[in-house]
Each structure stands twice: as C-alpha cells, then as structure tokens.
Amino acid sequence: MAMCGICGLVRTAEGAAFSRELVGRMCGTIVHRGPDDEGVYADGRAGLGNRRLSIIDVKGGHQPLSNEDGTIWIAYNGEAYNFAEIRDELRNRGHVFSTRSDTETIVHAYEEWGAPAFIERFRGMFAFALWDKRTETLLLMRDRVGVKPLYYTQLPDRTLVFGSELKTILIHPDVRREVEPAALDFYLTLEYVPAPYAMFKNVFKLPAGHFLTWKDGRIEVKRYWDVEPDPDPRPPASFSAAQDELYALLKESVKLRLVSDVPLGAFLSGGIDSSAVVGLMRELGAEPLRTFSIGFTDPTYNELAHARRIAERFRTEHEELVLEPKALELTEKLVRHLDEPLGDFSIFPTYLVSEMARRRVAVALSGDGGDELFAGYEHYLAQRMARWPGVAAAARAAGAVAGRLPPSKKKKGTWNKIRRFTQAFDQDAGHRHLRWMMFLSDGMKRELYGPAFREAIGGIGALRRRDPFPAHFQAMNGFDDRTGELYLDFKTYLVDDIMVKVDRMSMAVSLEAREPLLDHKLVEFAFRLPGDWKLRGGTTKWIFKKTLERLLPRETLYRKKEGFSIPIKHWLATDLRDLMEETLSEKRIREGGWFAYAPIRRMIDAHAAGRENFSHQLWALLVFEIWRGTCL
C-alpha cells in the first residue's frame, strides 16, 4: 500500500516524442505526495511516473511496477484494503508475486479478469494509470467515491497527459494555461469546480467511479459504479436489524483501514462522525491511539472541549492546536497546493490539523462522509419544511424581515439561518436543494460578471443546465425524496469540495487520510435505507445516532451540530482586511477582465461595516485572484 502521486503520458506512433526527463519533472511537482521514493517507466509510447509515501511493504513497493514479463505496467495511488485475500486467490490461479504490495495485486487482477471487472473485487481508495503493452492501451481508473484525484488532457497530436494534480499536467510544454469560463462560473457559485470540469480549458477531472481508456489516440470514458436505487425497495426486516448491520459495517470499515506498517491516528473534531471513528478504533484495539484537534479563541467556533471529552473517554494520546488569524498567512501556499480555486474556508484547519498529526503519524482516519450518507446537514430539514403547505409564503415573509437585519456575529445565528434558507423556497425540489448550496445568486452575477464572461458561459442561469447537474437531477428522482437529496450532495459537494480539501491539505504535508465512512459497501447500505430513517422529525442522522448509542455518550450524539468552520467573516473585516483590499483592488480586478469592480467595492464596504455578511463571496473572489496571480 502506498499513498502516492502519479503522472505520465501516452502518445500515438505519430505523436511527438517525449523524454524520461519530462516525466521526471512532472514527478518533481508532487514530491509532497510521496517523499519516500520516485520511479519512472518509459518505453517510447508511454511514460509513467510515481512519487511514493510508503505505508505497506515499505522496502518492496517501488513503482511503477509490472507483471512477471513486463507487458503490463502501473503507476498507482491509493489503498486496496482487501488486497491480501485477492492476492491469495490469484496465487491459487498461478500468478507469481515478488512484493507484498496491493499495487502488484492490482496488476495481476487486471491480467486475470480484465477491465473493468477486476476492480469490482477491491475495496479502497485509488487512482491509477495502467499501460498494457500487448494492446497498446492505457487505462486510467478512479475509485468509486472519488477520494483520490485524477486529471487528464489530450493534446492536438492526441497525446494524453495525466496526473494526480493539475501541476503535473502543466509541466508539459504544449498544455496551455487558459481559464475555463464554465469552471469559473461553477466555482464562484458553489465554491468548488465539479467534475468533469477543471479550471483550465481542455483539462478534465476523471469523475468518481469512472475509468478512461486510451487507444490509438481515441478516448472513451465510462462509469463502472454508482449508488443505484434499489429495484425492489423493501425495507429491512426491522429497524433493530438495520442498526446491527450498520454497526457491523462501520466496525468492518474501520478495521480495514487500520492495516498499516507505519503509525496511524485520527482527526477528532468532537462531532458524531469523528467520535464514532475514534470509538471504533479503540474497540478494535488500536494502540497507541493518537487523536488531533483544532480549536479557536472565539467560543462560538471552538469545539475543543467536546473533542477532549471523547479523547478522555477512549483514552487517546490527544493533541490540540488553537487556530489564530495569522494562519491565513498560509493562503498563497495552500492555494498552490489546491491547483485550482476552492472556496471552502476549512482548508486552513484541515491543513493545520494534518500538519500537527504528521509529526506523530503517517496515516490519519477521518469522519468525512457521515453527513451525506445519513442526512446531517440543516438544508435537509429545510427541504422537508419546504414541502409543507403554506411554508413558502411564510418563508418569504420571514426572509424579508431577516433581510433588513444585520448579520449575527455568532457562527450560526437564527436570523442568519432564516436569510440563508428562505432564498430557495419557490423552486422545485432539485433546484431548491442546489440553490441552498449556492453562494452567488443570478442577481449578483448580473452585476459582478463582465460582458465577455457572461457571453462565454452562455448567459446568467446556464449553470443549472450544464453537466453534471442535469444527469444528477434525473438520477436523484429514482430515490425517495430524502435519499435523492443525499445523492446530489454525495455526487457533487462531497467529492469535489470535501474530498479535494482533505486530499490536498493532508498530502501537502505527506499525510495519508483514510475515510472509513466512505467504504463503498457502507455507502451502498446507507443508500438502501429509507430516507425517513435518516431524518426523523427534526432529528438529523437518526439511524446513525440510534446505532451509535452503544458507543458514544448521548451528549455527543444529540447536541446541536456546529460544523467544521473558521471565523472568516470576522477576520476579513479585521486581520485580513489589508490582504482583501490589496488582492481585490480596482487595478487587479480591471487587469483580470473577468469582473466589474463596483459590486466588489460595495461588498467590501458593507462587510467591513457589519451591514452584510459577504464572507463567502469575498473569500471566493480573493482565492481566485491569488490563484490567478500564482498559477496562470
């Protein structure tokens, strides 16, 4: 097993030749993903590169790696947690292994069962490139949930260039650095860029659960996995039986992710998801059990006391760090690691808790995914309310009142919530849910976007008609109302925001993050459960909480959800005011040519005066302008 970075290229017989040195330079951009080893394979048609962070078979897992006769080569990033049992089966079928790594098992499984059937046997997170010299075919494959990233582009001569991060692709001299307007529109609206888009023109993300085949310059992208509506949606035998099965799956998933030849620990926020992971690690005998938490001086954001209680309950070796505004000095560094803009404020605590953990361990388990599987967000409650008769009219009235009040200084004030959730009550269910995930309305875009930008994206409002959302809207209709909403977040926000944040910030410090709640067996089970078992009355994550009553204290399970965020709205008006003014100056905005300056100035002034909370919009613009200045 190895958490790594991969890169490479493959060309047609007529395509421009490349050198091993080029692949080596591509590898050099992702040393942080794999500080322990580097390998390059090149045969004139294909070049594969790998940077390795050694987790299992530390000495014997050098990559790229091949089968016995050197006809199949792989550059692999990830963990296949059940590889040992598959390796035993392959040995019984006559395959010969020279390492203890899961990487070699992937190669022989492909050799035995072919694509994509071979990958259905594995459980884990991965992104890899496999070059089959016999058929001169390249296979790129990304894990089911999209924990690990994979980018690609095809050049005019039909050469395919790929890598774990955008920076690997940009090394190629023929890749142009031009902003993709549709991706920028997505980013400013949602604070992330959904697959298959990337922030550069003609560069794409391979979507989660998909594989790409390249042969003779022709590309084909296909899906091999998705969560599907149950064709025979009979409820489980009983709620009690479902709880037992859920607990068993949770425990099995954590157990699989404890396999390591190097020290491991866990992120601990004090919320339900991370607390459950830590509790199960203790139940499974993890020793030593190290936990890591981030807090704030602002008491409305600080959850260290909750994390501390869980650490004491499960007797962990616990470490804490208090995040101060000066941490935002990291902004330019973290934007470089992101490769493309991401507006999620929590990149900072995620990076700092990863940095703290890396001093003690090489692997950390996280609780990501629980909200998308079991309905943990407040907008699921808002969706339910929106279906009640008369609610839309009442919401409009409440929203009108809330709109005349200044924003609360608290993390989540009552009027802040009302202002946020009354913005979408007049739309249909799918678009209503999407609207609650938006941070830039069509009205704001009309003021902010320059004429050329509006024309390039096909006009204001085109985002809802742009892939991948129409396909997701159609697919979510196959589930019950509640589960359909979970599906939309699972396929977009989870993979293209949360997973991007966790992958880039943990790998920036060479730390492997593992997400047991996103094991695909657990995911499939959760999506088969009735939606009313996830959201019951006003209780979010109902079956998850009831199941975990055997493990966690009621105070942890049923206290109000806070979420993992930082007091950015205060910092932008105080400690970060100078950075914001400099980065979003009239001169820089006019030079960029994407936006009108007047609405930005109005947002800055209103936010600084406390009349409005424009933290999301201003931070997204600030990150884009920093990215534009450092990555273009």
Side-chain angles (χ1 to χ4, degrees):
M1 293 184 180
M3 193 49 53
C4 307
I6 66 169
C7 59
L9 68 166
V10 60
R11 69 181 183 97
T12 64
E14 298 79 24
F18 64 90
S19 65
R20 290 177 62 94
E21 185 267 341
L22 174 61
V23 182
R25 285 195 291 118
M26 294 170 71
C27 281
T29 65
I30 49 172
V31 171
H32 54 280
R33 297 190 73 94
D36 297 332
D37 192 18
E38 177 178 298
V40 172
Y41 163 80
D43 64 10
R45 292 290 298 279
L48 305 180
N50 177 271
R51 290 292 319 190
R52 183 171 183 242
L53 173 63
S54 304
I55 305 298
I56 294 287
D57 196 7
V58 173
K59 295 183 178 180
H62 178 76
Q63 294 188 50
L65 183 150
S66 73
N67 61 346
E68 301 97 321
D69 61 8
T71 57
I72 301 170
W73 285 85
I74 189 171
Y76 176 77
N77 168 26
E79 309 281 7
Y81 299 112
N82 63 333
F83 79 97
E85 61 192 65
I86 299 171
R87 182 182 59 195
D88 290 343
E89 181 180 358
L90 289 165
R91 275 180 173 151
N92 292 335
R93 290 172 174 262
H95 292 263
V96 178
F97 289 80
S98 59
T99 74
R100 295 190 298 112
S101 71
D102 58 339
T103 307
E104 189 177 12
T105 308
I106 296 280
V107 172
H108 288 285
Y110 168 81
E111 201 174 18
E112 181 69 29
W113 296 298
F118 78 107
I119 208 64
E120 295 173 3
R121 296 171 176 265
F122 290 92
R123 294 172 71 170
M125 55 179 182
F126 46 79
F128 60 82
L130 189 149
W131 172 237
D132 190 332
K133 293 178 66 174
R134 303 168 304 181
T135 61
E136 297 190 325
T137 301
L138 182 80
L139 173 70
L140 299 181
M141 186 162 278
R142 191 176 179 199
D143 66 72
R144 297 169 179 87
V145 178
V147 176
K148 293 290 103 183
L150 194 52
Y151 292 86
Y152 68 94
T153 187
Q154 188 163 34
L155 303 178
D157 68 355
R158 297 186 294 168
T159 294
L160 184 76
V161 188
F162 59 88
S164 294
E165 297 185 10
L166 269 171
K167 57 177 66 72
T168 62
I169 294 173
L170 298 177
I171 287 294
H172 196 289
D174 294 334
V175 175
R176 301 176 65 181
R177 301 190 183 201
E178 295 182 28
V179 174
E180 168 53 59
L184 178 56
D185 183 34
F186 270 128
Y187 163 68
L188 293 171
T189 308
L190 303 170
E191 298 187 344
Y192 63 87
V193 179
Y197 289 93
M199 191 55 82
F200 292 108
K201 284 184 179 179
N202 302 317
V203 179
F204 304 95
K205 301 183 184 84
L206 184 64
H210 283 65
F211 67 98
L212 177 153
T213 54
W214 178 100
K215 184 176 175 62
D216 296 328
R218 293 187 298 273
I219 289 176
E220 189 173 24
V221 177
K222 289 184 177 181
R223 187 182 70 186
Y224 70 88
W225 181 88
D226 199 356
V227 281
E228 304 280 359
D230 193 336
D232 185 17
R234 291 173 295 178
S238 69
F239 186 74
S240 176
Q243 287 180 271
D244 290 341
E245 186 172 355
L246 173 56
Y247 196 81
L249 282 168
L250 288 166
K251 193 170 181 179
E252 179 192 35
S253 183
V254 171
K255 182 179 181 180
L256 284 170
R257 284 156 181 81
L258 293 180
V259 178
S260 175
D261 287 347
V262 296
L264 53 78
F267 299 144
L268 179 58
S269 70
I272 300 169
D273 301 334
S274 64
S275 298
V277 170
V278 169
L280 289 166
M281 290 173 74
R282 171 56 69 209
E283 191 171 293
L284 288 161
E287 191 64 45
L289 180 48
R290 299 182 175 96
T291 52
F292 309 93
S293 300
I294 289 283
F296 306 91
T297 54
D298 186 330
T300 66
Y301 287 78
N302 192 31
E303 297 189 56
L304 283 178
H306 303 300
R308 204 173 296 134
R309 278 192 287 270
I310 293 298
E312 291 169 356
R313 180 184 181 91
F314 295 114
R315 306 179 309 283
T316 76
E317 297 178 16
H318 188 59
E319 296 185 38
E320 299 174 349
L321 176 69
V322 174
L323 180 61
E324 301 283 355
K326 64 181 180 181
L328 275 295
E329 296 170 1
L330 290 166
T331 298
E332 185 172 320
K333 175 181 179 179
L334 299 193
V335 168
R336 286 183 179 275
H337 277 293
L338 288 169
D339 277 346
E340 58 184 356
L342 181 71
D344 193 326
F345 305 151
S346 59
I347 59 172
F348 294 95
T350 303
Y351 174 82
L352 290 168
V353 76
S354 297
E355 185 180 51
M356 176 171 54
R358 188 63 179 93
R359 299 188 190 111
R360 300 284 183 267
V361 301
V363 178
L365 276 63
S366 81
D368 294 305
D371 290 322
E372 291 79 11
L373 295 189
F374 300 104
Y377 296 127
E378 290 176 332
H379 56 256
Y380 301 130
L381 285 170
Q383 273 280 37
R384 184 170 191 168
M385 292 170 58
R387 295 184 175 93
W388 297 347
V391 165
R396 284 194 297 271
V401 173
R404 292 192 291 269
L405 298 174
S408 170
K409 294 182 179 180
K410 295 180 179 179
K411 182 178 181 180
K412 291 184 179 179
T414 301
W415 290 109
N416 291 357
K417 293 180 184 178
I418 291 174
R419 295 174 71 174
R420 176 77 177 140
F421 290 122
T422 55
Q423 296 170 349
F425 274 62
D426 285 336
Q427 304 193 38
D428 63 82
H431 288 94
R432 184 167 58 231
H433 185 89
L434 179 61
R435 179 65 187 88
W436 279 319
M437 303 303 290
M438 292 180 178
F439 296 95
L440 195 67
S441 67
D442 287 351
M444 295 178 76
K445 290 182 184 182
R446 290 187 184 95
E447 293 187 60
L448 179 66
Y449 289 8
F453 186 13
R454 290 199 300 269
E455 182 179 356
I457 61 175
I460 303 298
L463 178 144
R464 295 172 179 82
R465 303 188 298 273
R466 193 184 302 142
D467 286 340
F469 285 98
H472 293 330
F473 291 147
Q474 182 176 1
M476 66 187 284
N477 291 330
F479 298 95
D480 63 64
D481 290 342
R482 200 77 59 248
T483 306
E485 294 154 16
L486 298 177
Y487 177 86
L488 184 59
D489 282 343
F490 181 82
K491 299 296 288 187
T492 57
Y493 174 66
L494 174 71
V495 62
D496 290 316
D497 184 315
I498 295 177
M499 290 297 96
V500 170
K501 171 190 69 180
V502 174
D503 174 79
R504 302 307 191 279
M505 295 301 96
S506 60
M507 293 309 298
V509 297
S510 306
L511 177 77
E512 176 181 317
R514 296 179 177 178
E515 289 82 15
L517 300 186
L518 292 176
D519 184 277
H520 80 275
K521 296 291 186 183
L522 177 59
V523 169
E524 290 169 346
F525 175 77
F527 272 89
R528 289 197 302 269
L529 295 173
D532 288 342
W533 284 13
K534 300 160 191 168
L535 184 62
R536 174 64 60 94
T539 303
T540 56
K541 302 170 85 165
W542 186 58
I543 188 172
F544 194 59
K545 292 174 178 177
K546 297 297 290 184
T547 299
L548 291 172
E549 284 181 355
R550 66 190 78 179
L551 180 70
L552 300 177
R554 291 186 64 85
E555 178 187 8
T556 298
L557 291 170
Y558 296 104
R559 72 179 174 87
K560 186 178 179 181
K561 178 181 175 62
E562 293 296 334
F564 193 36
S565 187
I566 66 175
I568 192 75
K569 64 183 177 184
H570 306 321
W571 294 353
L572 283 172
T574 54
D575 300 80
L576 298 179
R577 177 71 183 272
D578 290 345
L579 174 65
M580 178 170 63
E581 292 281 3
E582 178 186 352
T583 306
L584 300 181
S585 68
E586 183 172 6
K587 180 176 183 293
R588 291 185 61 161
I589 295 301
R590 292 192 184 281
E591 286 175 350
W594 293 97
F595 314 117
Y597 178 69
I600 296 176
R601 182 72 258 169
R602 287 196 297 270
M603 283 192 285
I604 292 174
D605 292 342
H607 186 89
R611 296 192 303 270
E612 290 286 351
N613 177 12
F614 286 121
S615 56
H616 284 277
Q617 295 83 1
L618 290 171
W619 181 254
L621 287 164
L622 188 150
V623 168
F624 172 72
E625 287 298 324
I626 292 174
W627 173 84
R628 188 174 66 82
T630 58
C631 297
L632 284 181

